[in-house]
């Protein structure tokens, strides 16, 4: 007999943390070149997507939510599933340039998804300049993390224009939701989970106390204390509308900087974000004296974990925006990020772990009631920065060549910007999700990424750049 399939505590933020102004879905803006595909259009792409998506069970699952938000929802089959609710078309306003496309992506993102249906949407975008087409994807974060979405994209896309469908990974194809739980099952599960809350909270506090005690032993290496995050101008309240700007930098140049300074690609990403934000805030007279801090995603996946799920935690890292020298800034970021990731992977307790103890209704209250200016002090960070590894090979969808991929992600009160990037082909492609009221002229942030990269390239010279 199949048992109900309930979300895990790690997913509670994504279901309980949604309010009238907070969206817990991610987005992706994909640009496609179909210049050599005369029959390409909405109808042909929809046929392709329906064929591929039909083989992925997750796309037919919806949430069944217990009353009052006292327990986590369950995944169940949508018996009335229809592609008409999920695959649609829209045109970008003239002149179809990057500013108009950014506004359209922000508009599509800034709408809650219907929780009575599977939590995904695909929008085919027409009217772009240079004969391109776009595809905007919305996936609720309760379905999967960035790595899961990446694996999902590999099932929908191909590495040649007219490839036959690939065999679906068994961990995806064989996944099944559970039945709709009976009311008595919901009540019993909720009662059991709530009764365990004091014990779990006490255990987490004991674990944290023991970790702190062990660090204070004479023979233990104690990590450096991190200063609190300052309150920046963008650590403000947010509305229900979003802004979106996007751009790319050469991946080869990022790797040249990485190799020269013996750091990671993620360290360089953080340094580019730090340099761009520092320049933007300095120009506006809003740079805090203390360094901004970023929350970075840390994957907890085993190498052989192929599931479409959330396997991620977070760690706080300095952006060293108080340092004027870009090299000093990069080295400070690299030194702290490695320690932070190691601690997160080995049981360090952060904000997400503590929130996962709560039922959805309390997470919702917490997200609604916390003063925005208090958020950096409670969470220890000013913004979120994520870096996802994409494909080094050209990809195709429905025969059209994918030319660019720009991710869009979650902001919340007190965190008015999210920076997410993905590597694709020879570029590192950035998508910045913002609260428009606190970031006038947001395209300057995209320009700042390239300008900061050029600062580092000046240090290493033309020989190392290749």
């Amino acid at each position: 007999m199949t048992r109900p399939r309930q979300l895990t505590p790690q997913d509670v933020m994504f279901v309980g943390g949604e309010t009238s102004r907070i969206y817990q879905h991610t987005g992706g803006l994909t640009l496609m070149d179909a210049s050599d595909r005369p029959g390409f259009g909405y109808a042909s792409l929809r046929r392709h997507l329906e064929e591929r998506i039909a083989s992925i069970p997750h796309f037919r699952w919806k949430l069944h939510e217990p009353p009052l938000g006292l327990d986590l929802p369950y995944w169940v089959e949508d018996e009335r599933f229809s592609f008409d609710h999920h695959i649609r078309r829209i045109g970008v306003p003239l002149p179809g340039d990057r500013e108009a496309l950014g506004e359209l992506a922000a508009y599509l993102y800034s709408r809650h998804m219907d929780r009575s249906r599977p939590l995904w949407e695909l929008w085919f975008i027409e009217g772009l300049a240079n004969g391109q087409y776009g595809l905007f994807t919305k996936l609720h974060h309760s379905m999967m993390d960035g790595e899961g979405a990446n694996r999902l994209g590999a099932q929908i896309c191909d590495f040649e224009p007219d490839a036959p469908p690939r065999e679906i990974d068994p961990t995806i194809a064989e996944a099944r939701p559970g039945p709709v739980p009976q009311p008595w099952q919901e009540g019993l599960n909720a009662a059991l989970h709530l009764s365990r809350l004091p014990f779990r909270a006490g255990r987490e506090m004991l674990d944290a106390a023991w970790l702190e005690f062990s660090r204070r032993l004479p023979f233990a290496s104690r990590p450096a204390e991190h200063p609190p995050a300052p309150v920046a101008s963008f650590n403000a309240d947010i509305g229900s509308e979003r802004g979106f700007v996007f751009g790319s930098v050469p991946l080869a140049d990022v790797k040249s900087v990485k190799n020269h300074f013996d750091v990671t690609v993620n360290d360089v990403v953080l340094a580019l974000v730090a340099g761009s934000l520092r320049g933007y805030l300095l120009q506006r007279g809003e740079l805090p004296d203390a360094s901004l801090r970023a929350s970075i995603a840390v994957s907890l996946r085993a190498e052989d974990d192929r599931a479409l799920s959330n396997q991620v935690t977070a760690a706080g890292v300095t952006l060293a925006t108080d340092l004027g020298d870009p090299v000093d800034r990069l080295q400070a970021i690299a030194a702290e990020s490695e320690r932070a990731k190691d601690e997160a992977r080995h049981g360090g307790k952060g904000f997400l772990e503590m929130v996962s103890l709560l039922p959805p209704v309390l997470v919702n209250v917490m997200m609604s009631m916390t003063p925005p200016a208090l958020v950096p002090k409670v969470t220890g960070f000013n913004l979120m920065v994520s870096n996802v590894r994409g494909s080094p090979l050209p990809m195709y969808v429905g025969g059209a060549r994918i030319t660019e991929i720009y991710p869009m992600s979650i902001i919340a009160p007190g965190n008015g910007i999210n920076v997410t990037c993905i590597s694709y082909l020879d570029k590192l492609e950035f998508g910045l999700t913002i609260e428009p009221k606190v970031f006038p002229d947001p395209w300057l942030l995209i320009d700042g990424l390239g300008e900061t990269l050029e600062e580092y390239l000046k240090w290493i010279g033309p020989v190392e750049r290749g």
Side-chain angles (χ1 to χ4, degrees):
M1 181 178 177
T2 307
R3 301 176 60 183
R5 180 169 180 151
Q6 194 168 21
L7 273 66
T8 67
Q10 288 72 30
D11 301 319
V12 69
M13 174 65 80
F14 307 129
V15 291
E18 205 153 41
T19 72
S20 61
R21 295 172 296 144
I22 304 173
Y23 309 101
Q24 293 292 348
H25 52 254
T26 59
L29 177 61
T30 300
L31 301 184
M32 303 171 290
D33 180 7
S35 56
D36 59 349
R37 309 288 296 191
F40 183 83
Y42 172 70
S44 65
L45 182 62
R46 174 163 170 163
R47 285 194 300 271
H48 170 84
L49 293 172
E50 289 184 8
E51 175 186 335
R52 297 298 177 87
I53 289 171
S55 303
I56 303 174
H58 300 71
F59 278 78
R60 295 175 180 268
W61 300 359
K62 66 178 183 179
L63 292 177
H64 173 82
E65 302 189 65
L68 304 178
L70 293 176
D71 201 7
L72 287 160
Y74 299 80
W75 287 120
V76 300
E77 191 83 17
D78 182 7
E79 302 294 345
R80 298 183 296 174
F81 176 82
S82 170
F83 281 111
D84 291 339
H85 297 142
H86 300 276
I87 304 178
R88 301 171 182 171
R89 67 197 298 183
I90 195 169
V92 68
L94 292 174
D97 56 10
R98 69 170 189 168
E99 285 79 10
L101 185 55
E103 291 176 6
L104 177 60
Y107 169 80
L108 293 175
Y109 181 93
S110 303
R111 303 294 179 271
H112 280 291
M113 304 180 79
D114 184 352
R115 287 204 186 185
S116 69
R117 297 189 173 113
L119 295 172
W120 62 274
E121 297 175 10
L122 293 172
W123 290 85
F124 182 72
I125 302 174
E126 301 167 305
L128 294 176
N130 304 318
Q132 285 191 313
Y133 294 96
L135 186 66
F136 188 76
T137 307
K138 290 171 69 172
L139 287 173
H140 201 274
H141 215 318
S142 60
M143 291 179 66
M144 62 197 73
D145 57 23
E147 290 296 327
N150 223 20
R151 291 187 171 96
L152 178 62
Q155 302 293 341
I156 296 175
C157 301
D158 301 300
F159 292 105
E160 54 188 76
D162 296 302
R166 293 194 304 279
E167 183 178 351
I168 303 294
D169 190 306
T171 58
I172 297 175
E174 297 171 8
R176 296 292 181 268
V180 177
Q182 298 294 322
W184 67 266
Q185 289 178 300
E186 288 183 339
L188 178 60
N189 285 342
L192 287 173
H193 293 158
L194 289 173
S195 68
R196 293 171 185 161
L197 179 58
F199 171 76
R200 291 177 58 207
R203 185 178 61 189
E204 295 289 343
M205 293 175 65
L206 185 61
D207 287 347
W210 171 252
L211 182 63
E212 183 64 21
F213 172 74
S214 63
R215 288 171 174 170
R216 293 180 180 273
L217 295 175
F219 51 82
S221 58
R222 181 176 173 84
E225 294 288 340
H226 304 311
V231 179
S233 57
F234 56 83
N235 297 129
D237 207 357
I238 64 172
S240 60
E241 300 299 319
R242 299 290 181 265
F244 183 60
V245 294
F246 54 91
S248 62
V249 297
L251 184 57
D253 287 347
V254 170
K255 289 183 175 179
S256 294
V257 176
K258 159 194 168 299
N259 294 334
H260 179 85
F261 293 104
D262 192 24
V263 296
T264 68
V265 167
N266 200 60
D267 295 332
V268 180
V269 167
L270 291 170
L272 297 184
V273 173
S276 179
L277 272 174
R278 175 183 163 84
Y280 180 90
L281 295 175
L282 267 176
Q283 187 176 10
R284 296 179 55 81
E286 297 174 354
L287 181 68
D289 293 333
S291 173
L292 298 174
R293 296 187 63 81
S295 171
I296 61 172
V298 180
S299 176
L300 300 178
R301 286 180 182 272
E303 287 294 326
D304 59 350
D305 184 351
R306 312 298 297 174
L308 301 180
S309 60
N310 288 295
Q311 300 287 336
V312 67
T313 186
V317 178
T318 183
L319 290 181
T321 51
D322 57 328
L323 301 179
D325 184 272
V327 175
D328 291 345
R329 196 180 310 135
L330 174 59
Q331 291 172 340
I333 290 169
E336 189 173 314
S337 65
E338 189 56 39
R339 292 194 303 267
K341 287 185 285 188
D342 185 67
E343 182 177 345
R345 291 191 183 105
H346 294 87
K349 303 299 181 182
F351 177 70
L352 291 181
E353 283 74 22
M354 297 306 174
V355 170
S356 70
L357 298 173
L358 305 176
V361 65
L362 292 185
V363 174
N364 191 273
V365 170
M366 180 187 69
M367 296 295 287
S368 301
M369 301 298 291
T370 303
L374 190 61
V375 169
K377 301 180 184 301
V378 172
T379 63
F381 59 84
N382 302 93
L383 70 154
M384 289 177 278
V385 181
S386 298
N387 174 25
V388 180
R389 182 181 298 175
S391 172
L393 302 174
M395 299 178 70
Y396 299 81
V397 56
R401 188 177 191 271
I402 295 175
T403 58
E404 300 166 64
I405 305 171
Y406 298 107
M408 190 171 184
S409 198
I410 299 165
I411 65 171
N415 294 130
I417 180 172
N418 178 298
V419 180
T420 304
C421 67
I422 184 170
S423 59
Y424 178 59
L425 298 177
D426 57 353
K427 295 179 291 184
L428 198 58
E429 304 193 311
F430 286 82
L432 278 61
T433 310
I434 60 168
E435 161 53 56
K437 295 192 296 290
V438 297
F439 280 104
D441 300 319
W443 291 98
L444 293 176
L445 293 166
I446 296 297
D447 297 339
L449 295 171
E451 292 164 2
T452 303
L453 180 57
E454 284 299 322
E455 285 186 324
Y456 287 112
L457 294 174
K458 290 176 183 177
W459 280 84
I460 65 179
V463 175
E464 288 188 60
R465 289 181 64 172

